[in-house]
Amino acid sequence: MSTSAERTPLTRRTVLTGLGLGAAGLLAACTNNSGDHDMGGHDTGRSFGPPTPLQPVPGQRLVTATLNPAPTTVDLGGIQAPTWAYGGAIPGPVIRASAGDLLQITVRNGLPTGTTVHWHGIRLRNEADGVPGLTQAPIAPGATYRYDFVPPDPGTYFFHSHVGVQIDRGLYGTLVIDDPREPGGYDAEWVVVLDDWTDGVGKTPDDILAELVAGGGGHAGHGMGMGMGDPPWGMGGDVTYPDYLVNGRVATAPETFAAKPGQRVRIRLVNACADTIFAVALGGHRLTVTHTDGYAVQPRECGALYLGMGERYDVVVTLADGVFPLVAAPFGKLAIPARALVRTGSGDPPAANARPTELAGEILTHADLAPADAVRLPSKAADSVLPVVLGGGMGNYAWTINGAAYGKNTPLQLTAGQRTRLRVVNQSMMTHPFHLHGHTFALASTGLRKDTVLVRHMETLDLDFDADNRGSWMAHCHNAYHGEAGMMIELAYRA
Ligand code: C2O
Ligand code: CU
């Protein structure tokens, strides 16, 4: 990871903030790490010391932030939902830095239970990865923990709790890593976070998980419209939610983005859902996909695109004149799509349940994209091929990797320096968003670079990466309920 000197010079302000927080962070680092193993996460019997602080090297910019996970009530647009969130709002804050900066992010746990923060998609040092039982003990209620890391790659990322199904409450936010060499070429930039929502208005995520595992049949909301054969993703999910949200708002009280006709806007789309794949379109517009999971692609135009849980896509759009719905339609679930509005002129917004015609056309998937040449993984034969078999079904809600649930399956063994191929075989009838920690992969088929990819029912995908970041890492299904029910596996480096 780069901590080289050609970074933005330190400003007086960053130096001062840095010193201030640095001192606080050192004190804070002395708090509970005694390994409160039943506060979330899986008891791996490991114990963890306090995190090792990092200090900026000369010329490296320091970015500090504080996250306060705590109980709160959020306004979904006329609907009050008691829940847990960072800083009292959903989505959580946007944390912004540049590639190569040092991030020091302090987390003060105001929740009644343990928590962690995972920096999804970032190739960071292992101890900042936020996985309870694997890289740290959960942060105890009232305790403080500081995550220090250097993000090496620019892009759109997000962060979320990695304890239990806390991600299905409001514990998520966006992490934007700017490219110091980014050409730009757009007039505005919007962050658009998608979510499926139940907490405080329906069952709690913990109750949903308990019912699913108890074999209640799966569908917390007694889901309908989940046709087995729906292309391209088979069954859409296990949970039917009371609400679907764009930037924390229901479709009847949407956020409005104001702009001028003819402006070019970069939209950073983040799917923070626990159980929902979305099809996204901006009524009356074509979207140009420029990045997925942070990595540049060969620009590709589309009317609509799919986003799985944990995936991010950046699109650029040239705005027309009027009022348009930016719609996120849950795949395979009968529900009013979530939306925001884009207003560049006069006119009435379309009805809350309007479905842009773009959603009836071709909808782009990762398979339609190729990587930008600059981000291609240098081609090399795989030194080792590791099978990752996704299994299980709705019957008894036992989701597995390589035949057993997390904790019972054998960790995948990596050898440092090797080009490694994960052969992900989906032997179930559902689509699973497969996510790798600490590394990013290239799809062997197209070379597309990603960290989270939708693997269709009965599909096999080969994912290539270099084992160049030692530590204990997770790979798992980013359906929060599947993951918690066992569809996770550890990756361990051979000594
Ligand atoms: Cu965003 Cu292990 O997850
Ligand atoms: Cu899954």
Side-chain angles (χ1 to χ4, degrees):
M1 283 176 215
S2 168
T3 49
S4 75
E6 14 103 297
R7 306 291 167 201
T8 325
L10 289 173
T11 64
R12 187 175 148 75
R13 199 177 144 268
T14 52
V15 171
L16 290 177
T17 345
L19 291 176
L21 244 173
L26 288 179
L27 291 177
C30 304
T31 49
N32 185 313
N33 283 288
S34 56
D36 193 342
H37 289 305
D38 19 74
M39 285 187 318
H42 299 260
D43 186 354
T44 54
R46 301 177 205 199
S47 59
F48 303 91
T52 350
L54 292 180
Q55 296 304 328
V57 298
Q60 187 180 32
R61 198 168 68 112
L62 176 63
V63 174
T64 61
T66 300
L67 294 175
N68 295 300
T72 187
T73 296
V74 296
D75 178 6
L76 308 178
I79 302 167
Q80 306 302 313
T83 187
W84 297 348
Y86 297 121
I90 56 162
V94 177
I95 297 177
R96 194 153 197 145
S98 288
D101 289 351
L102 172 60
L103 276 69
Q104 293 180 340
I105 301 176
T106 301
V107 179
R108 299 179 195 285
N109 185 7
L111 301 172
T113 188
T115 195
T116 64
V117 178
H118 169 61
W119 311 95
H120 179 115
I122 303 286
R123 298 188 297 126
L124 41 52
R125 61 186 192 138
N126 190 241
E127 67 171 275
D129 199 42
V131 178
L134 204 59
T135 67
Q136 67 171 103
I139 310 165
T144 297
Y145 191 95
R146 203 180 78 196
Y147 294 90
D148 291 9
F149 60 95
V150 180
D153 307 308
T156 303
Y157 301 92
F158 78 127
F159 57 87
H160 59 81
S161 166
H162 216 286
V163 168
V165 287
Q166 289 181 3
I167 188 178
D168 205 18
R169 299 185 190 243
L171 295 172
Y172 58 84
T174 306
L175 176 59
V176 175
I177 304 298
D178 286 311
D179 186 345
R181 295 155 311 175
E182 161 77 40
Y186 41 86
D187 303 300
E189 188 193 300
W190 302 335
V191 172
V192 171
V193 185
L194 315 176
D195 197 14
D196 45 16
W197 194 267
T198 179
D199 199 34
V201 298
K203 294 171 184 167
T204 68
D206 291 304
D207 287 345
I208 292 173
L209 178 65
E211 283 180 23
L212 288 168
V213 170
H219 302 281
H222 295 295
M224 9 34 159
M226 300 186 195
M228 293 277 285
D230 285 355
W233 309 119
M235 292 190 293
D238 298 340
V239 182
T240 298
Y241 287 81
D243 293 302
Y244 296 89
L245 309 176
V246 171
N247 285 352
R249 311 286 291 181
V250 294
T252 47
E255 170 168 10
T256 299
F257 291 102
K260 296 196 180 69
Q263 281 190 322
R264 275 168 64 79
V265 178
R266 177 182 193 166
I267 307 178
R268 297 178 184 268
L269 296 163
V270 178
N271 184 340
C273 287
D275 182 74
T276 305
I277 299 168
F278 279 110
V280 176
L282 175 58
H285 291 79
R286 302 285 293 170
L287 306 171
T288 303
V289 179
T290 61
H291 298 76
T292 180
D293 295 357
Y295 285 103
V297 302
Q298 292 176 26
R300 174 77 201 257
E301 208 182 89
C302 66
L305 69 157
Y306 281 114
L307 254 82
M309 301 79 97
E311 284 191 301
R312 293 89 59 214
Y313 279 84
D314 293 19
V315 300
V316 171
V317 58
T318 302
L319 297 174
D321 189 349
V323 187
F324 309 95
L326 175 58
V327 167
F331 175 81
K333 300 181 178 187
L334 287 184
I336 297 181
R339 68 168 183 173
L341 293 175
V342 174
R343 177 179 285 281
T344 62
S346 56
D348 291 327
N353 61 359
R355 280 183 83 87
T357 53
E358 286 79 4
L359 290 175
E362 291 265 300
I363 304 182
L364 177 138
T365 76
H366 68 79
D368 299 315
L369 294 172
D373 289 336
V375 305
R376 276 189 184 276
L377 200 60
S379 74
K380 190 180 171 200
D383 298 306
S384 55
V385 180
L386 304 175
V388 179
V389 179
L390 309 178
M394 308 284 300
N396 53 3
Y397 216 75
W399 296 104
T400 59
I401 292 185
N402 292 345
Y406 179 64
K408 300 198 181 73
N409 49 17
T410 311
L412 301 174
Q413 298 293 321
L414 305 183
T415 301
Q418 281 195 345
R419 172 64 56 85
T420 307
R421 170 167 289 183
L422 300 182
R423 177 154 293 161
V424 183
V425 183
N426 184 353
Q427 289 189 343
S428 78
M429 289 312 295
M430 281 190 81
T431 293
H432 302 282
F434 183 80
H435 174 52
L436 174 64
H437 285 214
H439 311 73
T440 56
F441 51 76
L443 275 82
S445 51
T446 57
L448 190 69
R449 298 294 302 275
K450 286 181 80 42
D451 57 67
T452 309
V453 65
L454 286 168
V455 190
R456 288 195 323 262
H457 49 294
M458 304 312 282
E459 181 182 36
T460 296
L461 287 183
D462 281 347
L463 310 179
D464 292 344
F465 67 99
D466 288 319
D468 58 1
N469 195 7
R470 279 187 175 275
S472 300
W473 303 100
M474 295 292 284
H476 62 93
C477 174
H478 219 277
N479 179 308
Y481 295 94
H482 294 183
E484 266 316 284
M487 194 173 263
M488 310 201 279
I489 195 162
E490 178 185 343
L491 277 72
Y493 276 76
R494 290 192 179 84

